[in-house]
Amino acid sequence: MSAQSAPESAREEHGSPDGTGPNGSRPSPAQREQGGAPREPSNSEPRGARTRSWVTVGFGLGLGASLAWLAVQTVTRVSSMLTLLMLAVFIAISLEPIVAWFTRRGLRRGWAVAIVLTGFVVVLGGFLALVIPPVTKEVTALVNAVPGWLKQLHDHQSTIGHLEDRFHLVEKGKEQIGTGGGASGLAGGILGAGQKVLSTVASTAIVITVTLYCMAALPAIKEFCYRFVAASRRERVEGVAEEIMNRIGKFMLGNLATSGIAGLATFGWCAATGVPYAAALGVFTALMDLIPIVGSTLAGIVVSLVALSVSLPIAIATAVFYVVFRVAEDYLIVPRAMKFAVDVHPLVTVLAVLVGGALLGIIGALVAIPAAVAVGLVLDEYVFPKKERN
């Protein structure tokens, strides 16, 4: 090999002196640091690596979808329990102003909660004392009237006898019972009614128990929740949360005021028109009116049906009275009371109740206005100031 061939082979191996590679291409900075020429792409990657990556991605997506489906199913199954817990917390926060009023006067919190509970029991006992005697009287009268109705079925001169001759109600009833469909349907209806009663009693017991625990331990619960907030922002968050709970208490007081007006109006109407059980119907209307939108309507239907025992014109007049009162309550009393209590625009009040009722039924309609208040305070405190600064 000659002396000139060695430099040529070195140039072919390491590139030319001007920095170009053996093929005339310039190396990258990383390749210059390593002192090597550009490498050709390698096809030595195993084929199974790409396949395993797709399997891993597919498995991860399937597992995530399964966990999401299980989470949705779990929330759906416990949704009724979560609703009851939310109602209990709402009641505890609503009664907090009364408990705080007693504690500011030197009472321990436990005694204040006991006094509030005693007042609730007294109110409930008074309501039952007003309602149970007339209901028992009417049920007894209904049971005593059944034999007379059975006799009238065989009397072709009576109204019930004419209905029996025309529609053959007794034979149709015997056919339904004989085929088993009527008997099973009747048994199913009785069992279903019994389950509804037991479910209502159990739900009421759960709400009362959780409410008592929340009322007794509300300061500790709030302190525990505030610890999740950073210390630099904790004071501001506490101020907003306390304002929200204060507004909820005012809302409850406003709701009680409007319900009291509805109960007094019902009592006055029933006493003036001679509808029986005026006091019981007044208390019933006041309790039902605590439920927004549907409460006063249901109460008006019940009172109008009771007014049928007096006369049909009185029942029609009672129904008209409740329609007029409902319009006045929805557009005059409730919006003004809620604006004074929680400072919410009447349109927001109506929309919040409609949306809450559509989402969670009666309980959703009950907590809709406090939820709207909370959203408004959060927007005023955190969202709108940032938008104005930007």
Side-chain angles (χ1 to χ4, degrees), residues 132-330:
I132 289 178
V135 170
T136 304
K137 181 180 178 181
E138 294 301 324
V139 171
T140 303
L142 178 63
V143 172
N144 294 333
V146 170
W149 292 344
L150 293 177
K151 290 182 180 179
Q152 291 180 13
L153 284 174
H154 302 286
D155 185 4
H156 300 286
Q157 303 299 324
S158 63
T159 303
I160 299 179
H162 286 304
L163 292 175
E164 166 62 20
D165 293 337
R166 183 174 181 179
F167 298 104
H168 305 287
L169 301 177
V170 176
E171 293 182 2
K172 291 181 180 179
K174 289 180 178 179
E175 290 177 0
Q176 290 292 327
I177 296 176
T179 56
S184 61
L186 180 61
I190 295 174
L191 291 176
Q195 290 177 354
K196 288 291 185 182
V197 172
L198 291 177
S199 176
T200 302
V201 172
S203 300
T204 304
I206 291 172
V207 170
I208 293 175
T209 303
V210 177
T211 300
L212 289 178
Y213 278 108
C214 290
M215 290 172 62
L218 188 59
I221 294 173
K222 292 192 294 184
E223 184 178 357
F224 174 77
C225 293
Y226 292 151
R227 293 179 63 183
F228 289 95
V229 183
S232 59
R233 297 182 298 171
R234 189 172 301 169
E235 184 177 357
R236 186 180 181 186
V237 172
E238 287 182 6
V240 175
E242 293 295 333
E243 180 64 23
I244 290 174
M245 288 185 282
N246 186 30
R247 296 275 185 97
I248 291 176
K250 289 182 178 180
F251 160 74
M252 197 63 184
L253 294 177
N255 202 6
L256 288 174
T258 57
S259 299
I261 293 173
L264 290 175
T266 299
F267 174 77
W269 174 264
C270 293
T273 56
V275 177
Y277 319 123
L281 292 176
V283 175
F284 172 76
T285 302
L287 293 177
M288 292 298 295
D289 195 75
L290 290 173
I291 305 172
I293 296 180
V294 298
S296 59
T297 301
L298 294 176
I301 293 173
V302 172
V303 177
S304 300
L305 292 176
V306 175
L308 277 174
S309 62
V310 180
S311 64
L312 181 60
I314 293 296
I316 296 175
T318 302
V320 173
F321 165 77
Y322 270 99
V323 171
V324 175
F325 180 80
R326 175 62 189 274
V327 173
E329 182 183 34
D330 289 345

Side-chain angles (χ1 to χ4, degrees), residues 310-356:
V310 180
S311 64
L312 181 60
I314 293 296
I316 296 175
T318 302
V320 173
F321 165 77
Y322 270 99
V323 171
V324 175
F325 180 80
R326 175 62 189 274
V327 173
E329 182 183 34
D330 289 345
Y331 293 96
L332 295 177
I333 301 175
V334 172
R336 293 178 181 275
M338 291 301 107
K339 183 174 178 59
F340 171 76
V342 295
D343 194 20
V344 178
H345 193 275
L347 179 60
V348 177
T349 300
V350 175
L351 292 179
V353 171
L354 292 176
V355 174

